[in-house]
Amino acid sequence: MNKLICKNFTEFKTHEGKSLPVGEWLTVTQEMINAFAEATQDFQWVHVDLERIKKESPFKKPIAHGFLSVSLLSKMLMDLIQIESLAMGVNYGLNKVRFPHPVLVDSRLRLHSSIQMIEPYAENGLKITWDCSVEIDSIDKPACVAEFVSLMFEG
């Protein structure tokens, strides 16, 4: 897998405004959907009721929670970058989020992203705004489009 590797924040900051490598494919399984339903207590039938889905859903298959797609952004981004001096990172928030296409069970997703903006944060941190688009294999519309904001701190 291609990965952006930087020694420190100084080197990382030179990538502001640039695209990251395209992510690896990740399959969204029913087990992931069920675990997300358990964690969030969102058991809407379109996600977990297989019999009702077959009868009533226009998709005829379970769909992942939209927030499952957005929650994968942290993992997908960290799979694409490595900063050797990084001590920790935390989610800061989202500026814009849309779910243009549902994610059917067993769909393969991958991340297309760029570093929109890097700002200083606290004494040893950065606030990064990432442009993210989660592609669904063989579907024209993305699963999720988001401006994702995170904090990273050097150790």
Side-chain angles (χ1 to χ4, degrees):
M1 170 198 317
N2 282 337
K3 192 175 211 175
L4 173 63
I5 300 173
C6 300
K7 288 184 168 95
N8 53 39
F9 281 3
T10 302
E11 184 179 348
F12 175 70
K13 288 191 275 187
T14 67
H15 295 277
E16 183 175 16
K18 297 179 183 172
S19 293
L20 294 174
V22 176
E24 296 287 320
W25 290 110
L26 170 77
T27 301
V28 176
T29 65
Q30 188 63 48
E31 291 77 20
M32 290 170 69
I33 294 169
N34 292 346
F36 194 85
E38 282 288 332
T40 61
Q41 295 295 289
D42 179 354
F43 296 103
Q44 187 179 167
W45 68 268
V46 298
H47 307 303
V48 296
D49 188 337
L50 301 180
E51 293 307 311
R52 187 171 176 190
I53 289 165
K54 288 177 191 173
K55 293 176 189 168
E56 297 180 39
S57 170
F59 307 111
K60 303 301 179 198
K61 292 175 80 175
I63 59 172
H65 305 71
F67 288 123
L68 172 56
S69 300
V70 80
S71 72
L72 290 170
L73 291 177
S74 295
K75 181 236 185 308
M76 292 173 142
L77 280 167
M78 290 303 101
D79 284 349
L80 296 178
I81 65 166
Q82 177 183 333
I83 303 170
E84 293 169 5
S85 64
L86 181 67
M88 69 175 243
V90 294
N91 298 336
Y92 187 81
L94 298 154
N95 292 333
K96 300 174 187 173
V97 180
R98 295 290 181 269
F99 306 110
H101 197 280
V103 175
L104 278 64
V105 69
D106 298 324
S107 292
R108 293 185 338 138
L109 307 179
R110 70 178 174 181
L111 181 63
H112 296 261
S113 58
S114 64
I115 303 167
Q116 180 184 28
M117 184 171 29
I118 301 173
E119 303 169 86
Y121 186 87
E123 199 171 303
N124 61 338
L126 297 175
K127 181 166 76 170
I128 303 99
T129 304
W130 315 85
D131 279 325
C132 299
S133 179
V134 179
E135 175 188 4
I136 309 170
D137 192 13
S138 303
I139 303 288
D140 288 337
K141 290 184 179 181
C144 175
V145 178
E147 245 183 39
F148 177 64
V149 184
S150 64
L151 302 177
M152 293 194 299
F153 298 91
E154 278 188 309

